[in-house]
Amino acid sequence: MNMKLALFCYSFNVIGLFIFGLIYTFSGEFLPFHSDAIQMSWDDLSPPQQTLYLGMMRTEGAGLLSSALAIAALLMFPFRKREVWSYWAMTLIGLVEHVPSMLGAYYTSQATPASSPWQLNLLGIVLLVLGLAFALGDRNR
């Protein structure tokens, strides 16, 4: 049962990271909370500013997609073989993506009128730690 719970926790991260990675990578303009943060609409930005925002979003999107794909690959192969190193690797990969993203989004929420979704990163972090705990707990059975 613990391995099923661990699989759920890690899979939830894969799906979330993948969806947000696609949104950030393929969006043609910034998201509503970005507009709230700078108190300007997309159309009010100059073309160079728009290019900069899209470049930053696509960079974040690439990180999200890379993390999702790395965790998914680890789930498909070493996790299924119950290789303990993969539990740690998936957790570390997810934390490296979630923690800086959460801190940036939290700071934006505190310093601007924007309501950045930092809570989603926190949920991902909690699920990664729970996934690790479930997987390691199952190993001791």
Side-chain angles (χ1 to χ4, degrees), residues 8 17 22 37 39 56 66 71-72 105 107 115-116 121 124-125 131-132:
F8 169 80
L17 290 166
L22 290 175
Q39 298 179 331
M56 289 188 295
S66 297
I71 296 170
Y107 175 76
S115 188
S116 296
N121 291 110
I125 291 167
L132 178 63

Side-chain angles (χ1 to χ4, degrees), residues 60-76:
E60 176 67 9
L64 293 163
L65 289 171
S66 297
S67 296
L69 293 174
I71 296 170
L74 291 167
L75 279 174
M76 286 190 287

Side-chain angles (χ1 to χ4, degrees), residues 10-76:
Y10 288 123
S11 296
F12 186 92
N13 267 275
V14 169
I15 293 165
L17 290 166
F18 191 76
I19 289 169
F20 280 94
L22 290 175
I23 291 168
Y24 272 72
T25 300
F26 296 108
S27 182
E29 61 184 64
F30 59 37
L31 302 175
F33 67 89
H34 295 133
S35 180
D36 294 342
I38 65 169
Q39 298 179 331
M40 293 177 74
S41 73
W42 179 255
D43 294 330
D44 293 336
L45 299 177
S46 68
Q49 290 170 320
Q50 290 177 350
T51 300
L52 177 64
Y53 269 101
L54 288 178
M56 289 188 295
M57 287 177 61
R58 290 183 178 140
T59 300
E60 176 67 9
L64 293 163
L65 289 171
S66 297
S67 296
L69 293 174
I71 296 170
L74 291 167
L75 279 174
M76 286 190 287

Side-chain angles (χ1 to χ4, degrees), residues 84-131:
V84 175
W85 67 267
S86 69
Y87 315 155
W88 291 99
M90 290 184 295
T91 303
L92 183 60
I93 290 165
L95 290 175
V96 166
E97 181 59 45
H98 280 303
V99 171
S101 295
M102 182 186 73
L103 293 174
Y106 180 77
Y107 175 76
T108 300
S109 290
Q110 297 302 304
T112 72
S115 188
S116 296
W118 62 269
Q119 299 91 341
L120 294 174
N121 291 110
L122 180 59
L123 175 61
I125 291 167
V126 169
L127 288 173
L128 287 167
V129 173
L130 286 173

